[in-house]
Amino acid sequence: MYRYNDTEIVVVQGDITKVKVDAIVNAANNTLLGGGGVDGAIHRAGGRIILEQCKKIGGCPTGEARITVGGNLPCKYVIHTVGPIYKDGKSGEEELLYNAYYNSLKLAKEYNLESVAFPSISTGAYGYPLEKAMKTAIKAVIDFIEEENFPRIINFILFSERDFSIYNDYLKSLLKDK
Ligand code: AR6
């Protein structure tokens, strides 16, 4: 576990649909109507109510975030955000990915959600190189904590052992191990 100011940062290897926090973040697409990867897993485990609320919301631009209930998931809410599709790294991907993390946390704060879990947005189907994406994710999270002193707990949930190690190695070098 790591700490930045008053926030605990926890890196976990596993399945985000099993995590009991106030809000998990979904790596969705612009339609918000579901898909593969973590998005598919969240809709499958959460049930129809999530899709019904997503339909009412009517989509989400890249870099923004929207919120639904958690349905049958152990979390209370799902924050749906849309990361960029990685092209060449020079097409605004970094800013869009930063915004996806930052705007997800803004929404968590609006709803006073003290514990938030992120998957590794854009690094699956959307092809963003993991290490680059991780640095942007951590920068956005740290900037947000610095500015808002919120939330209390942030989890990074990594599906693969490799991604888990890369996150841990980087955070270890960046922050003090607790
Ligand atoms: N828990 C945690 N992480 C997961 C899980 C899970 N249950 N399942 C997959 N991952 P991706 P993207 C990891 O493709 O790149 C969808 O079709 C996965 O191993 O889910 O943002 C959407 O509808 C990878 O490391 O999201 C969009 O169309 C990471 O989550 C598109 O994919 C992200 O992979 C979004 O692509």
mmCIF file with all atom_site columns, all heavy atoms in Angstrom, residues 139-159:
data_model
loop_
_atom_site.group_PDB
_atom_site.id
_atom_site.type_symbol
_atom_site.label_atom_id
_atom_site.label_alt_id
_atom_site.label_comp_id
_atom_site.label_asym_id
_atom_site.label_entity_id
_atom_site.label_seq_id
_atom_site.pdbx_PDB_ins_code
_atom_site.Cartn_x
_atom_site.Cartn_y
_atom_site.Cartn_z
_atom_site.occupancy
_atom_site.B_iso_or_equiv
_atom_site.pdbx_formal_charge
_atom_site.auth_seq_id
_atom_site.auth_comp_id
_atom_site.auth_asym_id
_atom_site.auth_atom_id
_atom_site.pdbx_PDB_model_num
ATOM 1   N N   . LYS A 1 139 ? -0.338  10.212  -12.713 1.00 0.00 ? 139 LYS A N   1
ATOM 2   C CA  . LYS A 1 139 ? -0.221  11.677  -12.681 1.00 0.00 ? 139 LYS A CA  1
ATOM 3   C C   . LYS A 1 139 ? -1.589  12.316  -12.440 1.00 0.00 ? 139 LYS A C   1
ATOM 4   O O   . LYS A 1 139 ? -1.727  13.220  -11.616 1.00 0.00 ? 139 LYS A O   1
ATOM 5   C CB  . LYS A 1 139 ? 0.387   12.189  -13.994 1.00 0.00 ? 139 LYS A CB  1
ATOM 6   C CG  . LYS A 1 139 ? 0.579   13.692  -14.000 1.00 0.00 ? 139 LYS A CG  1
ATOM 7   C CD  . LYS A 1 139 ? 1.445   14.134  -15.154 1.00 0.00 ? 139 LYS A CD  1
ATOM 8   C CE  . LYS A 1 139 ? 1.595   15.646  -15.298 1.00 0.00 ? 139 LYS A CE  1
ATOM 9   N NZ  . LYS A 1 139 ? 1.096   16.491  -14.235 1.00 0.00 ? 139 LYS A NZ  1
ATOM 10  N N   . ALA A 1 140 ? -2.601  11.839  -13.143 1.00 0.00 ? 140 ALA A N   1
ATOM 11  C CA  . ALA A 1 140 ? -3.946  12.397  -12.988 1.00 0.00 ? 140 ALA A CA  1
ATOM 12  C C   . ALA A 1 140 ? -4.454  12.206  -11.562 1.00 0.00 ? 140 ALA A C   1
ATOM 13  O O   . ALA A 1 140 ? -5.016  13.128  -10.957 1.00 0.00 ? 140 ALA A O   1
ATOM 14  C CB  . ALA A 1 140 ? -4.898  11.741  -13.984 1.00 0.00 ? 140 ALA A CB  1
ATOM 15  N N   . VAL A 1 141 ? -4.232  11.018  -11.027 1.00 0.00 ? 141 VAL A N   1
ATOM 16  C CA  . VAL A 1 141 ? -4.695  10.704  -9.676  1.00 0.00 ? 141 VAL A CA  1
ATOM 17  C C   . VAL A 1 141 ? -3.967  11.586  -8.646  1.00 0.00 ? 141 VAL A C   1
ATOM 18  O O   . VAL A 1 141 ? -4.586  12.164  -7.748  1.00 0.00 ? 141 VAL A O   1
ATOM 19  C CB  . VAL A 1 141 ? -4.473  9.195   -9.413  1.00 0.00 ? 141 VAL A CB  1
ATOM 20  C CG1 . VAL A 1 141 ? -4.456  8.880   -7.941  1.00 0.00 ? 141 VAL A CG1 1
ATOM 21  C CG2 . VAL A 1 141 ? -5.536  8.376   -10.130 1.00 0.00 ? 141 VAL A CG2 1
ATOM 22  N N   . ILE A 1 142 ? -2.678  11.714  -8.794  1.00 0.00 ? 142 ILE A N   1
ATOM 23  C CA  . ILE A 1 142 ? -1.901  12.514  -7.840  1.00 0.00 ? 142 ILE A CA  1
ATOM 24  C C   . ILE A 1 142 ? -2.267  13.997  -7.953  1.00 0.00 ? 142 ILE A C   1
ATOM 25  O O   . ILE A 1 142 ? -2.425  14.681  -6.940  1.00 0.00 ? 142 ILE A O   1
ATOM 26  C CB  . ILE A 1 142 ? -0.396  12.235  -8.014  1.00 0.00 ? 142 ILE A CB  1
ATOM 27  C CG1 . ILE A 1 142 ? -0.116  10.871  -7.367  1.00 0.00 ? 142 ILE A CG1 1
ATOM 28  C CG2 . ILE A 1 142 ? 0.467   13.333  -7.402  1.00 0.00 ? 142 ILE A CG2 1
ATOM 29  C CD1 . ILE A 1 142 ? 1.303   10.416  -7.403  1.00 0.00 ? 142 ILE A CD1 1
ATOM 30  N N   . ASP A 1 143 ? -2.453  14.479  -9.163  1.00 0.00 ? 143 ASP A N   1
ATOM 31  C CA  . ASP A 1 143 ? -2.889  15.877  -9.333  1.00 0.00 ? 143 ASP A CA  1
ATOM 32  C C   . ASP A 1 143 ? -4.223  16.097  -8.636  1.00 0.00 ? 143 ASP A C   1
ATOM 33  O O   . ASP A 1 143 ? -4.431  17.107  -7.959  1.00 0.00 ? 143 ASP A O   1
ATOM 34  C CB  . ASP A 1 143 ? -3.057  16.230  -10.821 1.00 0.00 ? 143 ASP A CB  1
ATOM 35  C CG  . ASP A 1 143 ? -1.719  16.425  -11.514 1.00 0.00 ? 143 ASP A CG  1
ATOM 36  O OD1 . ASP A 1 143 ? -0.668  16.405  -10.834 1.00 0.00 ? 143 ASP A OD1 1
ATOM 37  O OD2 . ASP A 1 143 ? -1.721  16.591  -12.756 1.00 0.00 ? 143 ASP A OD2 1
ATOM 38  N N   . PHE A 1 144 ? -5.129  15.137  -8.808  1.00 0.00 ? 144 PHE A N   1
ATOM 39  C CA  . PHE A 1 144 ? -6.462  15.289  -8.209  1.00 0.00 ? 144 PHE A CA  1
ATOM 40  C C   . PHE A 1 144 ? -6.364  15.306  -6.682  1.00 0.00 ? 144 PHE A C   1
ATOM 41  O O   . PHE A 1 144 ? -6.974  16.152  -6.017  1.00 0.00 ? 144 PHE A O   1
ATOM 42  C CB  . PHE A 1 144 ? -7.411  14.174  -8.669  1.00 0.00 ? 144 PHE A CB  1
ATOM 43  C CG  . PHE A 1 144 ? -8.841  14.459  -8.297  1.00 0.00 ? 144 PHE A CG  1
ATOM 44  C CD1 . PHE A 1 144 ? -9.657  15.200  -9.130  1.00 0.00 ? 144 PHE A CD1 1
ATOM 45  C CD2 . PHE A 1 144 ? -9.352  14.020  -7.078  1.00 0.00 ? 144 PHE A CD2 1
ATOM 46  C CE1 . PHE A 1 144 ? -10.971 15.499  -8.759  1.00 0.00 ? 144 PHE A CE1 1
ATOM 47  C CE2 . PHE A 1 144 ? -10.659 14.307  -6.703  1.00 0.00 ? 144 PHE A CE2 1
ATOM 48  C CZ  . PHE A 1 144 ? -11.473 15.044  -7.551  1.00 0.00 ? 144 PHE A CZ  1
ATOM 49  N N   . ILE A 1 145 ? -5.594  14.397  -6.119  1.00 0.00 ? 145 ILE A N   1
ATOM 50  C CA  . ILE A 1 145 ? -5.433  14.339  -4.659  1.00 0.00 ? 145 ILE A CA  1
ATOM 51  C C   . ILE A 1 145 ? -4.831  15.658  -4.161  1.00 0.00 ? 145 ILE A C   1
ATOM 52  O O   . ILE A 1 145 ? -5.261  16.221  -3.159  1.00 0.00 ? 145 ILE A O   1
ATOM 53  C CB  . ILE A 1 145 ? -4.530  13.149  -4.246  1.00 0.00 ? 145 ILE A CB  1
ATOM 54  C CG1 . ILE A 1 145 ? -5.175  11.820  -4.629  1.00 0.00 ? 145 ILE A CG1 1
ATOM 55  C CG2 . ILE A 1 145 ? -4.223  13.196  -2.752  1.00 0.00 ? 145 ILE A CG2 1
ATOM 56  C CD1 . ILE A 1 145 ? -4.216  10.625  -4.541  1.00 0.00 ? 145 ILE A CD1 1
ATOM 57  N N   . GLU A 1 146 ? -3.839  16.123  -4.878  1.00 0.00 ? 146 GLU A N   1
ATOM 58  C CA  . GLU A 1 146 ? -3.159  17.378  -4.530  1.00 0.00 ? 146 GLU A CA  1
ATOM 59  C C   . GLU A 1 146 ? -4.164  18.536  -4.491  1.00 0.00 ? 146 GLU A C   1
ATOM 60  O O   . GLU A 1 146 ? -4.142  19.358  -3.588  1.00 0.00 ? 146 GLU A O   1
ATOM 61  C CB  . GLU A 1 146 ? -2.090  17.622  -5.602  1.00 0.00 ? 146 GLU A CB  1
ATOM 62  C CG  . GLU A 1 146 ? -1.115  18.730  -5.350  1.00 0.00 ? 146 GLU A CG  1
ATOM 63  C CD  . GLU A 1 146 ? -0.117  18.399  -4.248  1.00 0.00 ? 146 GLU A CD  1
ATOM 64  O OE1 . GLU A 1 146 ? 0.550   17.344  -4.300  1.00 0.00 ? 146 GLU A OE1 1
ATOM 65  O OE2 . GLU A 1 146 ? -0.022  19.220  -3.334  1.00 0.00 ? 146 GLU A OE2 1
ATOM 66  N N   . GLU A 1 147 ? -5.053  18.569  -5.474  1.00 0.00 ? 147 GLU A N   1
ATOM 67  C CA  . GLU A 1 147 ? -5.990  19.686  -5.580  1.00 0.00 ? 147 GLU A CA  1
ATOM 68  C C   . GLU A 1 147 ? -7.192  19.545  -4.653  1.00 0.00 ? 147 GLU A C   1
ATOM 69  O O   . GLU A 1 147 ? -7.697  20.534  -4.138  1.00 0.00 ? 147 GLU A O   1
ATOM 70  C CB  . GLU A 1 147 ? -6.461  19.829  -7.039  1.00 0.00 ? 147 GLU A CB  1
ATOM 71  C CG  . GLU A 1 147 ? -5.377  20.443  -7.931  1.00 0.00 ? 147 GLU A CG  1
ATOM 72  C CD  . GLU A 1 147 ? -5.526  20.094  -9.409  1.00 0.00 ? 147 GLU A CD  1
ATOM 73  O OE1 . GLU A 1 147 ? -6.671  19.937  -9.864  1.00 0.00 ? 147 GLU A OE1 1
ATOM 74  O OE2 . GLU A 1 147 ? -4.489  19.966  -10.086 1.00 0.00 ? 147 GLU A OE2 1
ATOM 75  N N   . GLU A 1 148 ? -7.674  18.340  -4.454  1.00 0.00 ? 148 GLU A N   1
ATOM 76  C CA  . GLU A 1 148 ? -8.954  18.148  -3.750  1.00 0.00 ? 148 GLU A CA  1
ATOM 77  C C   . GLU A 1 148 ? -8.849  17.412  -2.417  1.00 0.00 ? 148 GLU A C   1
ATOM 78  O O   . GLU A 1 148 ? -9.842  17.297  -1.708  1.00 0.00 ? 148 GLU A O   1
ATOM 79  C CB  . GLU A 1 148 ? -9.926  17.357  -4.663  1.00 0.00 ? 148 GLU A CB  1
ATOM 80  C CG  . GLU A 1 148 ? -10.144 17.981  -6.040  1.00 0.00 ? 148 GLU A CG  1
ATOM 81  C CD  . GLU A 1 148 ? -11.028 19.212  -5.987  1.00 0.00 ? 148 GLU A CD  1
ATOM 82  O OE1 . GLU A 1 148 ? -11.644 19.475  -4.941  1.00 0.00 ? 148 GLU A OE1 1
ATOM 83  O OE2 . GLU A 1 148 ? -11.102 19.921  -7.004  1.00 0.00 ? 148 GLU A OE2 1
ATOM 84  N N   . ASN A 1 149 ? -7.695  16.860  -2.112  1.00 0.00 ? 149 ASN A N   1
ATOM 85  C CA  . ASN A 1 149 ? -7.530  16.006  -0.924  1.00 0.00 ? 149 ASN A CA  1
ATOM 86  C C   . ASN A 1 149 ? -8.651  14.954  -0.849  1.00 0.00 ? 149 ASN A C   1
ATOM 87  O O   . ASN A 1 149 ? -9.302  14.777  0.180   1.00 0.00 ? 149 ASN A O   1
ATOM 88  C CB  . ASN A 1 149 ? -7.478  16.842  0.359   1.00 0.00 ? 149 ASN A CB  1
ATOM 89  C CG  . ASN A 1 149 ? -6.995  16.024  1.539   1.00 0.00 ? 149 ASN A CG  1
ATOM 90  O OD1 . ASN A 1 149 ? -6.226  15.069  1.357   1.00 0.00 ? 149 ASN A OD1 1
ATOM 91  N ND2 . ASN A 1 149 ? -7.449  16.352  2.738   1.00 0.00 ? 149 ASN A ND2 1
ATOM 92  N N   . PHE A 1 150 ? -8.855  14.260  -1.923  1.00 0.00 ? 150 PHE A N   1
ATOM 93  C CA  . PHE A 1 150 ? -9.950  13.300  -2.086  1.00 0.00 ? 150 PHE A CA  1
ATOM 94  C C   . PHE A 1 150 ? -9.576  12.362  -3.226  1.00 0.00 ? 150 PHE A C   1
ATOM 95  O O   . PHE A 1 150 ? -8.890  12.797  -4.146  1.00 0.00 ? 150 PHE A O   1
ATOM 96  C CB  . PHE A 1 150 ? -11.233 14.087  -2.450  1.00 0.00 ? 150 PHE A CB  1
ATOM 97  C CG  . PHE A 1 150 ? -12.492 13.279  -2.373  1.00 0.00 ? 150 PHE A CG  1
ATOM 98  C CD1 . PHE A 1 150 ? -13.242 13.222  -1.211  1.00 0.00 ? 150 PHE A CD1 1
ATOM 99  C CD2 . PHE A 1 150 ? -12.926 12.542  -3.481  1.00 0.00 ? 150 PHE A CD2 1
ATOM 100 C CE1 . PHE A 1 150 ? -14.395 12.462  -1.146  1.00 0.00 ? 150 PHE A CE1 1
ATOM 101 C CE2 . PHE A 1 150 ? -14.076 11.778  -3.413  1.00 0.00 ? 150 PHE A CE2 1
ATOM 102 C CZ  . PHE A 1 150 ? -14.808 11.747  -2.249  1.00 0.00 ? 150 PHE A CZ  1
ATOM 103 N N   . PRO A 1 151 ? -10.057 11.099  -3.214  1.00 0.00 ? 151 PRO A N   1
ATOM 104 C CA  . PRO A 1 151 ? -10.820 10.370  -2.200  1.00 0.00 ? 151 PRO A CA  1
ATOM 105 C C   . PRO A 1 151 ? -9.894  9.792   -1.126  1.00 0.00 ? 151 PRO A C   1
ATOM 106 O O   . PRO A 1 151 ? -8.682  10.064  -1.130  1.00 0.00 ? 151 PRO A O   1
ATOM 107 C CB  . PRO A 1 151 ? -11.470 9.254   -3.011  1.00 0.00 ? 151 PRO A CB  1
ATOM 108 C CG  . PRO A 1 151 ? -10.488 8.965   -4.086  1.00 0.00 ? 151 PRO A CG  1
ATOM 109 C CD  . PRO A 1 151 ? -9.828  10.282  -4.409  1.00 0.00 ? 151 PRO A CD  1
ATOM 110 N N   . ARG A 1 152 ? -10.444 8.983   -0.226  1.00 0.00 ? 152 ARG A N   1
ATOM 111 C CA  . ARG A 1 152 ? -9.662  8.406   0.861   1.00 0.00 ? 152 ARG A CA  1
ATOM 112 C C   . ARG A 1 152 ? -8.854  7.209   0.362   1.00 0.00 ? 152 ARG A C   1
ATOM 113 O O   . ARG A 1 152 ? -7.737  6.985   0.775   1.00 0.00 ? 152 ARG A O   1
ATOM 114 C CB  . ARG A 1 152 ? -10.617 7.977   1.981   1.00 0.00 ? 152 ARG A CB  1
ATOM 115 C CG  . ARG A 1 152 ? -9.983  7.834   3.343   1.00 0.00 ? 152 ARG A CG  1
ATOM 116 C CD  . ARG A 1 152 ? -11.059 7.779   4.412   1.00 0.00 ? 152 ARG A CD  1
ATOM 117 N NE  . ARG A 1 152 ? -12.092 6.801   4.087   1.00 0.00 ? 152 ARG A NE  1
ATOM 118 C CZ  . ARG A 1 152 ? -11.984 5.488   4.275   1.00 0.00 ? 152 ARG A CZ  1
ATOM 119 N NH1 . ARG A 1 152 ? -10.883 4.971   4.764   1.00 0.00 ? 152 ARG A NH1 1
ATOM 120 N NH2 . ARG A 1 152 ? -12.987 4.682   3.971   1.00 0.00 ? 152 ARG A NH2 1
ATOM 121 N N   . ILE A 1 153 ? -9.451  6.437   -0.540  1.00 0.00 ? 153 ILE A N   1
ATOM 122 C CA  . ILE A 1 153 ? -8.772  5.225   -1.041  1.00 0.00 ? 153 ILE A CA  1
ATOM 123 C C   . ILE A 1 153 ? -8.891  5.143   -2.562  1.00 0.00 ? 153 ILE A C   1
ATOM 124 O O   . ILE A 1 153 ? -9.990  5.295   -3.112  1.00 0.00 ? 153 ILE A O   1
ATOM 125 C CB  . ILE A 1 153 ? -9.394  3.941   -0.442  1.00 0.00 ? 153 ILE A CB  1
ATOM 126 C CG1 . ILE A 1 153 ? -9.294  3.955   1.082   1.00 0.00 ? 153 ILE A CG1 1
ATOM 127 C CG2 . ILE A 1 153 ? -8.732  2.690   -1.014  1.00 0.00 ? 153 ILE A CG2 1
ATOM 128 C CD1 . ILE A 1 153 ? -10.036 2.814   1.768   1.00 0.00 ? 153 ILE A CD1 1
ATOM 129 N N   . ILE A 1 154 ? -7.771  4.896   -3.200  1.00 0.00 ? 154 ILE A N   1
ATOM 130 C CA  . ILE A 1 154 ? -7.788  4.605   -4.638  1.00 0.00 ? 154 ILE A CA  1
ATOM 131 C C   . ILE A 1 154 ? -7.175  3.229   -4.855  1.00 0.00 ? 154 ILE A C   1
ATOM 132 O O   . ILE A 1 154 ? -6.070  2.947   -4.371  1.00 0.00 ? 154 ILE A O   1
ATOM 133 C CB  . ILE A 1 154 ? -7.020  5.668   -5.440  1.00 0.00 ? 154 ILE A CB  1
ATOM 134 C CG1 . ILE A 1 154 ? -7.839  6.966   -5.446  1.00 0.00 ? 154 ILE A CG1 1
ATOM 135 C CG2 . ILE A 1 154 ? -6.750  5.187   -6.867  1.00 0.00 ? 154 ILE A CG2 1
ATOM 136 C CD1 . ILE A 1 154 ? -7.214  8.084   -6.205  1.00 0.00 ? 154 ILE A CD1 1
ATOM 137 N N   . ASN A 1 155 ? -7.905  2.377   -5.550  1.00 0.00 ? 155 ASN A N   1
ATOM 138 C CA  . ASN A 1 155 ? -7.387  1.059   -5.926  1.00 0.00 ? 155 ASN A CA  1
ATOM 139 C C   . ASN A 1 155 ? -7.084  1.049   -7.417  1.00 0.00 ? 155 ASN A C   1
ATOM 140 O O   . ASN A 1 155 ? -7.914  1.501   -8.214  1.00 0.00 ? 155 ASN A O   1
ATOM 141 C CB  . ASN A 1 155 ? -8.446  -0.029  -5.686  1.00 0.00 ? 155 ASN A CB  1
ATOM 142 C CG  . ASN A 1 155 ? -8.718  -0.259  -4.229  1.00 0.00 ? 155 ASN A CG  1
ATOM 143 O OD1 . ASN A 1 155 ? -7.984  -0.971  -3.560  1.00 0.00 ? 155 ASN A OD1 1
ATOM 144 N ND2 . ASN A 1 155 ? -9.774  0.361   -3.738  1.00 0.00 ? 155 ASN A ND2 1
ATOM 145 N N   . PHE A 1 156 ? -5.931  0.523   -7.769  1.00 0.00 ? 156 PHE A N   1
ATOM 146 C CA  . PHE A 1 156 ? -5.668  0.194   -9.169  1.00 0.00 ? 156 PHE A CA  1
ATOM 147 C C   . PHE A 1 156 ? -5.794  -1.324  -9.269  1.00 0.00 ? 156 PHE A C   1
ATOM 148 O O   . PHE A 1 156 ? -5.028  -2.053  -8.616  1.00 0.00 ? 156 PHE A O   1
ATOM 149 C CB  . PHE A 1 156 ? -4.277  0.638   -9.594  1.00 0.00 ? 156 PHE A CB  1
ATOM 150 C CG  . PHE A 1 156 ? -4.130  2.131   -9.753  1.00 0.00 ? 156 PHE A CG  1
ATOM 151 C CD1 . PHE A 1 156 ? -3.369  2.870   -8.857  1.00 0.00 ? 156 PHE A CD1 1
ATOM 152 C CD2 . PHE A 1 156 ? -4.755  2.797   -10.804 1.00 0.00 ? 156 PHE A CD2 1
ATOM 153 C CE1 . PHE A 1 156 ? -3.230  4.247   -9.005  1.00 0.00 ? 156 PHE A CE1 1
ATOM 154 C CE2 . PHE A 1 156 ? -4.621  4.178   -10.961 1.00 0.00 ? 156 PHE A CE2 1
ATOM 155 C CZ  . PHE A 1 156 ? -3.855  4.898   -10.059 1.00 0.00 ? 156 PHE A CZ  1
ATOM 156 N N   . ILE A 1 157 ? -6.747  -1.789  -10.066 1.00 0.00 ? 157 ILE A N   1
ATOM 157 C CA  . ILE A 1 157 ? -6.981  -3.230  -10.194 1.00 0.00 ? 157 ILE A CA  1
ATOM 158 C C   . ILE A 1 157 ? -6.413  -3.690  -11.535 1.00 0.00 ? 157 ILE A C   1
ATOM 159 O O   . ILE A 1 157 ? -6.930  -3.307  -12.598 1.00 0.00 ? 157 ILE A O   1
ATOM 160 C CB  . ILE A 1 157 ? -8.493  -3.567  -10.136 1.00 0.00 ? 157 ILE A CB  1
ATOM 161 C CG1 . ILE A 1 157 ? -9.180  -2.844  -8.963  1.00 0.00 ? 157 ILE A CG1 1
ATOM 162 C CG2 . ILE A 1 157 ? -8.681  -5.084  -10.064 1.00 0.00 ? 157 ILE A CG2 1
ATOM 163 C CD1 . ILE A 1 157 ? -8.742  -3.256  -7.590  1.00 0.00 ? 157 ILE A CD1 1
ATOM 164 N N   . LEU A 1 158 ? -5.355  -4.489  -11.461 1.00 0.00 ? 158 LEU A N   1
ATOM 165 C CA  . LEU A 1 158 ? -4.693  -4.950  -12.688 1.00 0.00 ? 158 LEU A CA  1
ATOM 166 C C   . LEU A 1 158 ? -5.005  -6.423  -12.922 1.00 0.00 ? 158 LEU A C   1
ATOM 167 O O   . LEU A 1 158 ? -4.902  -7.231  -12.002 1.00 0.00 ? 158 LEU A O   1
ATOM 168 C CB  . LEU A 1 158 ? -3.179  -4.746  -12.581 1.00 0.00 ? 158 LEU A CB  1
ATOM 169 C CG  . LEU A 1 158 ? -2.678  -3.295  -12.646 1.00 0.00 ? 158 LEU A CG  1
ATOM 170 C CD1 . LEU A 1 158 ? -3.437  -2.480  -13.679 1.00 0.00 ? 158 LEU A CD1 1
ATOM 171 C CD2 . LEU A 1 158 ? -2.707  -2.610  -11.308 1.00 0.00 ? 158 LEU A CD2 1
ATOM 172 N N   . PHE A 1 159 ? -5.400  -6.684  -14.132 1.00 0.00 ? 159 PHE A N   1
ATOM 173 C CA  . PHE A 1 159 ? -5.820  -8.043  -14.475 1.00 0.00 ? 159 PHE A CA  1
ATOM 174 C C   . PHE A 1 159 ? -4.622  -8.992  -14.551 1.00 0.00 ? 159 PHE A C   1
ATOM 175 O O   . PHE A 1 159 ? -4.687  -10.111 -14.076 1.00 0.00 ? 159 PHE A O   1
ATOM 176 C CB  . PHE A 1 159 ? -6.539  -7.992  -15.824 1.00 0.00 ? 159 PHE A CB  1
ATOM 177 C CG  . PHE A 1 159 ? -7.694  -8.935  -15.933 1.00 0.00 ? 159 PHE A CG  1
ATOM 178 C CD1 . PHE A 1 159 ? -8.512  -9.194  -14.851 1.00 0.00 ? 159 PHE A CD1 1
ATOM 179 C CD2 . PHE A 1 159 ? -7.972  -9.560  -17.133 1.00 0.00 ? 159 PHE A CD2 1
ATOM 180 C CE1 . PHE A 1 159 ? -9.594  -10.052 -14.954 1.00 0.00 ? 159 PHE A CE1 1
ATOM 181 C CE2 . PHE A 1 159 ? -9.047  -10.421 -17.261 1.00 0.00 ? 159 PHE A CE2 1
ATOM 182 C CZ  . PHE A 1 159 ? -9.868  -10.672 -16.165 1.00 0.00 ? 159 PHE A CZ  1
#
